[in-house]
Amino acid sequence: MVTDQTRRRLLLGALGSVALRPLAAVMAGGSLTTGALTGCSHVQPGALDNKVGSSQATIIGCSRHSDGRFGVVVADNNGLPLYQLPLPGRGHGVALQPNGNLAAAFSRRPGSYLQVFDYLTGQAWPIYTAPSNRFFYGHGVFSSDGKLLYTTEGVRQTSEGIIGVYELGNAGSGKLQKVAEFSGFGIGPHEVVLADDQTLAVGVGGVHTRGRTPLNLDSMQPALVYLDRLTGEIVDKAVLADKQLSIRHLSVTDTGEIACGQQYRGLPEDAAPLVALHRRGEGEVLKPLLAEEEQWLRFNHYIASIASLDGYLLATSPRGNCYGIWQEAGRELVELRPLVDASGVGVKDGKWLVGSGAGKVLSISPTSQVASVQSPVMWDNHWNIL
């Protein structure tokens, strides 16, 4: 990664003070498409094999279309779509079944639907619709054995947090059945991940909303909460000193820490640290990552996706049109680069794959080598890597 201290300070200082511009360090990888970005054409379910020609299914993420439609896309590592399934509304996160072929696409909060599908065959299960008094927050995770699906949900009138527990029927049945609910851990849960085989980590945002309008910014209680995945019991909890940092997005690092991306709900001119780390059993306070105030302001108070690689952490900001890379052990910012509508990030073959709502797909190595290709997909905030 970056080791030249003088070069690093100059780079970070420059990016913190100038307007966004195209990536100067990008090595052009060629354009996959020409013309306007309009999303990808629909292929009938069942048409997908794991490989289409020489392309391998690598990326699964939600997308938007210029005509107002939405879908979930399976693409190769260049972002070239192999097929897509239409969604009834804007999607957000996608969960992948370990050692299985299922994926679940979640509607953007306050969401009403959950779409399970087989990402190898393209076969979609019937849409699961939330009851009228509930909504989905946009994220979920499968159990390590792939038999259960955990989702973040809210009570519509109060935003009380719920973890919905769903049992998956066999592939032939295509049934999703809710078998349990966990509550009592806070309001406004957003992302949930597996901290280990038996423990869920939940990013509790602390914000009560009506639709997407916040109602309690003066009394927020955000937290990172750990739940026993079988009983729903709270087994650990961590907080931030600044209660207006709504914990939103999570990722498990290579060393087993939980990385948390925040949305700041305070004054626009405040420079709040937007990424923090926590290891279960090491205290009740999250450790913020480090950056200068003007650098935090570049992220425009919002972190979308996070991924760990070889001791470094990459976090994207669609609202800030940029991404940052931190060294985990020292929590020090080592790269800050522009990317219009920076969205999903994941790891494949020792490199980060980073997406953009403008269709850009970046491949970033731990040595800061960056390659870029243009895909026809308007990627949404998150994706998963197969």
Side-chain angles (χ1 to χ4, degrees):
M1 187 56 73
V2 180
T3 57
D4 187 329
Q5 299 290 330
T6 301
R7 171 181 170 273
R8 180 165 61 203
R9 292 191 186 97
L10 289 173
L11 174 64
L12 294 177
L15 284 172
S17 60
V18 301
L20 292 175
R21 55 184 174 80
L23 281 169
V26 165
M27 301 182 295
S31 178
L32 296 175
T33 59
T34 58
L37 296 175
T38 58
C40 53
S41 61
H42 177 57
V43 177
Q44 289 298 320
L48 177 71
D49 193 346
N50 191 19
K51 295 183 178 180
V52 177
S54 61
S55 297
Q56 175 89 24
T58 300
I59 299 167
I60 302 181
C62 294
S63 70
R64 294 168 285 175
H65 299 260
S66 58
D67 62 2
R69 294 179 298 119
F70 302 98
V72 58
V73 177
V74 176
D76 68 10
N77 61 348
N78 289 315
L80 183 64
L82 306 179
Y83 83 101
Q84 76 160 333
L85 292 173
L87 295 176
R90 184 173 174 183
H92 194 62
V94 178
L96 297 182
Q97 183 185 42
N99 304 313
N101 302 335
L102 295 179
F106 301 92
S107 48
R108 182 175 182 248
R109 73 170 179 92
S112 61
Y113 73 86
L114 163 60
Q115 174 68 77
V116 176
F117 63 100
D118 186 317
Y119 61 78
L120 292 185
T121 67
Q123 183 64 46
W125 289 24
I127 288 275
Y128 183 93
T129 303
S132 60
N133 66 333
R134 297 291 172 83
F135 62 90
F136 292 111
Y137 272 101
H139 289 277
V141 67
F142 284 90
S143 59
S144 56
D145 61 10
K147 295 179 180 180
L148 297 174
L149 177 64
Y150 299 91
T151 69
T152 51
E153 305 176 13
V155 177
R156 196 167 290 275
Q157 295 81 3
T158 64
S159 300
E160 177 190 2
I162 301 289
I163 296 295
V165 185
Y166 296 82
E167 192 173 73
L168 293 104
N170 59 49
S173 72
K175 291 182 179 179
L176 194 65
Q177 181 179 0
K178 194 172 212 178
V179 294
E181 290 187 341
F182 303 150
S183 61
F185 53 82
I187 66 173
H190 195 69
E191 187 158 17
V192 56
V193 298
L194 279 178
D196 56 49
D197 287 348
Q198 296 301 316
T199 311
L200 301 171
V202 185
V204 178
V207 183
H208 173 34
T209 59
R210 180 175 294 115
R212 292 182 62 84
T213 302
L215 303 176
N216 68 328
L217 296 186
D218 293 333
S219 59
M220 292 168 52
Q221 294 294 321
L224 173 64
V225 177
Y226 297 84
L227 305 178
D228 183 298
R229 77 169 186 89
L230 299 179
T231 67
E233 177 188 1
I234 297 175
V235 295
D236 204 351
K237 182 178 180 179
V239 298
L240 289 159
D242 189 337
K243 300 304 181 187
Q244 291 193 300
L245 278 168
S246 178
I247 298 176
R248 313 288 293 166
H249 297 116
L250 307 179
S251 180
V252 182
T253 72
D254 292 341
T255 61
E257 291 184 283
I258 303 297
C260 304
Q262 278 72 250
Q263 178 180 7
Y264 185 60
R265 295 290 197 158
L267 297 175
E269 63 269 24
D270 291 346
L274 297 174
V275 188
L277 291 169
H278 185 262
R279 187 182 301 278
R280 185 180 168 193
E282 292 190 356
E284 297 182 356
V285 179
L286 287 153
K287 298 177 181 177
L289 299 190
L290 306 175
E292 299 296 328
E293 288 189 357
E294 63 270 21
Q295 293 159 358
W296 281 125
L297 287 171
R298 279 296 302 277
F299 291 91
N300 198 15
H301 295 166
Y302 185 82
I303 296 296
S305 297
I306 314 170
S308 174
L309 174 62
D310 292 345
Y312 292 85
L313 201 68
L314 189 151
T316 67
S317 175
R319 298 184 186 182
N321 295 301
C322 65
Y323 66 89
I325 300 175
W326 283 262
Q327 198 255 359
E328 291 175 17
R331 295 183 286 137
E332 180 183 10
L333 181 67
V334 296
E335 296 281 357
L336 175 56
R337 298 200 177 190
L339 177 61
V340 172
D341 201 10
S343 54
V345 61
V347 173
K348 182 73 171 180
D349 297 331
K351 296 180 180 180
W352 284 292
L353 291 180
V354 182
S356 160
K360 194 78 74 176
V361 177
L362 303 185
S363 175
I364 305 172
S365 74
T367 57
S368 291
Q369 296 288 323
V370 181
S372 171
V373 292
Q374 183 68 49
S375 85
V377 181
M378 299 168 64
W379 297 104
D380 220 306
N381 282 14
H382 308 284
W383 64 19
N384 262 328
I385 304 298
L386 296 171

